[in-house]
Amino acid sequence: MSDTPSPRAARSRERLLRAATDLLVESGPRGVTVDAVAEASGVAKSTLYRQWSSRDDMLIDVVRCNIPALTQPNLTDGFESALRWYVNDGAATLADPEWSRIIPAMMSLQVTMPAVAACIEIDRTSKTATLRTIVDLGIEEGILPADIDVEMASRILFGPLVYSSLLGDQDQLDKLAVEVVDRFLAPYAV
Amino acid sequence: MSDTPSPRAARSRERLLRAATDLLVESGPRGVTVDAVAEASGVAKSTLYRQWSSRDDMLIDVVRCNIPALTQPNLTDGFESALRWYVNDGAATLADPEWSRIIPAMMSLQVTMPAVAACIEIDRTSKTATLRTIVDLGIEEGILPADIDVEMASRILFGPLVYSSLLGDQDQLDKLAVEVVDRFLAPYAV
DNA sequence: TATCATCGCTACGAAACCGTTTCGTTGCGA
DNA sequence: TCGCAACGAAACGGTTTCGTAGCGATGATA
């Protein structure tokens, strides 16, 4: 059932993924050619085709492996603490220059490659579910109204961060994160 | 000094730009090949090369010609009216399925093609200046504090809209626009 | 209607790219 | 230490792409 991932194969795979990611960041999807990845990684094309059946398969894997996983928020310190923690974590992720340079490529690939869109969809579903647990805590604490729209909250909280990152301003994301949460919570303050 | 744009040349140019835009929307930057544009437009490759010196030149022009111009807001009806009008206009633009599918391609091209980045930069500077005039009116009316950060306001107002558009939810952008402005104005309400 | 710049069509060469295969080598686990 | 699995290097054929060139047709303009 579980195929043993030979240590050698795993190492080659890592190198290929690393090189492909770099090429994607530097040159966009167009730069991620089989030959370029092979040369940049120091791994032969034949080995690349032992890992993936096609260039597109590889590209999908590159995207999949580069979607960052946010850490699960600690709910024991209460709603506001958890929310601030989660949004700050998102801002920190977006502030990573490498990740922020991959986003545009992913957004572009999403349109033409359904598999990439699926990866992003899965990730977003998971992140929305996490936000859902935080919001539920807020409702439980009587801070948020019970009928609050989690999707809209997600847009209002993370939209400015993603937008700012896309525009190339990663420097003040942490400040923006604080501002965004402040404004989000303001209407519900006692 | 101004070279007369022959009617035939202008017509060919329009057809080429139209076809290239369609290809960009449907297949991403990778689909915008010289041959594909020529075939889809019914215009010969040689004519394409009479318009632009290279495929990249053409692609840059496609981007440039597809950046939408927001209508100038009417300032005579007061700050809040102008702001709502401007944000709603932005939401309407983002809701256009064609435009929303071009955005990812532009974000991607921006990384690898400095000329595309320059186009986007110019557009954003102009739009920020417009928002600046609206914000100034708000300050004049005593609604906004004088030290408000226009860049941050722009992120808070348009971030959720762009983010939502990128995620493929164009249906409720108008509703989101209202929510965003409501929340933006709430802290300054009397 | 005559003229001529412009056009569409077609073909072409060079280069890049993709996917596959072969063959000899290397390194890991039994 | 032995054997198998993974590896690198290289070559191959077919396709795509870019950019150029020649040539006959066409349409704007006088």
Side-chain angles (χ1 to χ4, degrees):
Chain A
M1 180 176 138
S2 68
D3 42 354
T4 333
S6 144
R8 285 217 289 167
R11 221 173 54 124
S12 296
R13 183 193 165 81
E14 281 312 306
R15 288 185 183 177
L16 288 165
L17 279 176
R18 183 74 220 160
T21 302
D22 290 344
L23 285 167
L24 182 63
V25 168
E26 290 163 19
S27 318
R30 238 201 158 199
V32 187
T33 71
V34 178
D35 293 296
V37 172
E39 184 177 351
S41 66
V43 174
K45 272 206 298 180
S46 47
T47 304
L48 188 155
Y49 278 102
R50 286 181 194 112
Q51 295 280 348
W52 301 281
S53 66
S54 71
R55 177 237 185 208
D56 280 1
D57 266 16
M58 177 187 64
L59 202 48
I60 292 166
D61 223 15
V62 169
V63 170
R64 204 177 48 76
C65 295
N66 278 287
I67 295 180
L70 296 185
T71 59
Q72 287 296 315
N74 184 355
L75 296 178
T76 58
D77 287 345
F79 160 66
E80 180 170 341
S81 169
L83 181 67
R84 290 195 181 276
W85 215 95
Y86 195 57
V87 175
N88 280 337
D89 195 26
T93 300
L94 287 169
D96 176 22
E98 176 141 338
W99 167 237
S100 70
R101 292 185 66 187
I102 289 183
I103 295 185
M106 279 179 37
M107 294 289 111
S108 176
L109 290 174
Q110 190 180 6
V111 178
T112 44
M113 299 180 60
V116 170
C119 287
I120 295 175
E121 172 71 18
I122 288 175
D123 174 65
R124 239 190 60 77
T125 301
S126 141
K127 294 208 169 78
T128 300
T130 302
L131 184 61
R132 172 85 254 176
T133 66
I134 299 175
V135 164
D136 282 344
L137 183 59
I139 297 172
E140 200 174 310
E141 292 182 9
I143 298 175
L144 299 180
D147 65 342
I148 191 166
D149 183 346
V150 178
E151 291 286 342
M152 183 165 285
S154 170
R155 282 158 177 66
I156 289 172
L157 288 167
F158 292 104
L161 299 178
V162 172
Y163 181 57
S164 189
S165 173
L166 281 175
L167 294 177
D169 293 3
Q170 280 89 25
D171 301 335
Q172 305 192 334
L173 277 181
D174 48 352
K175 191 176 140 200
L176 184 60
V178 172
E179 176 88 12
V180 157
V181 176
D182 284 347
R183 286 178 171 272
F184 178 76
L185 293 178
Y188 312 117
V190 193
Chain B
M1 176 173 161
S2 68
D3 43 355
T4 334
S6 145
R8 285 176 82 192
R11 225 175 49 129
S12 296
R13 183 193 164 82
E14 283 310 307
R15 289 185 182 175
L16 288 165
L17 279 175
R18 183 73 221 159
T21 302
D22 289 344
L23 284 167
L24 183 62
V25 169
E26 290 163 19
S27 318
R30 240 202 157 194
V32 188
T33 70
V34 179
D35 292 290
V37 172
E39 183 177 351
S41 65
V43 174
K45 268 206 298 182
S46 45
T47 305
L48 188 155
Y49 277 101
R50 287 181 196 114
Q51 294 279 350
W52 301 280
S53 66
S54 71
R55 178 234 186 213
D56 280 2
D57 266 16
M58 177 187 64
L59 202 49
I60 291 165
D61 222 15
V62 169
V63 170
R64 204 179 46 76
C65 295
N66 277 287
I67 294 180
L70 296 185
T71 60
Q72 288 295 317
N74 184 354
L75 296 178
T76 60
D77 286 346
F79 160 67
E80 179 169 342
S81 170
L83 182 66
R84 289 195 181 275
W85 215 96
Y86 195 56
V87 175
N88 280 336
D89 195 26
T93 299
L94 288 169
D96 175 22
E98 177 144 335
W99 168 237
S100 69
R101 294 188 68 184
I102 289 183
I103 295 184
M106 280 179 36
M107 294 289 112
S108 175
L109 290 175
Q110 190 180 6
V111 177
T112 45
M113 300 180 59
V116 169
C119 286
I120 295 175
E121 173 69 19
I122 289 174
D123 175 65
R124 238 189 61 77
T125 301
S126 142
K127 294 208 168 77
T128 300
T130 302
L131 184 60
R132 171 87 252 177
T133 68
I134 299 175
V135 165
D136 282 344
L137 183 59
I139 297 173
E140 200 175 310
E141 292 183 10
I143 298 175
L144 299 181
D147 64 343
I148 190 167
D149 183 347
V150 178
E151 291 285 342
M152 184 167 281
S154 170
R155 281 158 176 67
I156 289 173
L157 287 167
F158 292 104
L161 300 177
V162 172
Y163 181 57
S164 191
S165 174
L166 282 175
L167 293 176
D169 292 2
Q170 280 88 25
D171 301 335
Q172 305 192 334
L173 277 181
D174 49 351
K175 191 176 143 201
L176 184 60
V178 172
E179 177 88 11
V180 157
V181 177
D182 283 348
R183 285 178 171 271
F184 177 76
L185 293 177
Y188 311 118
V190 193

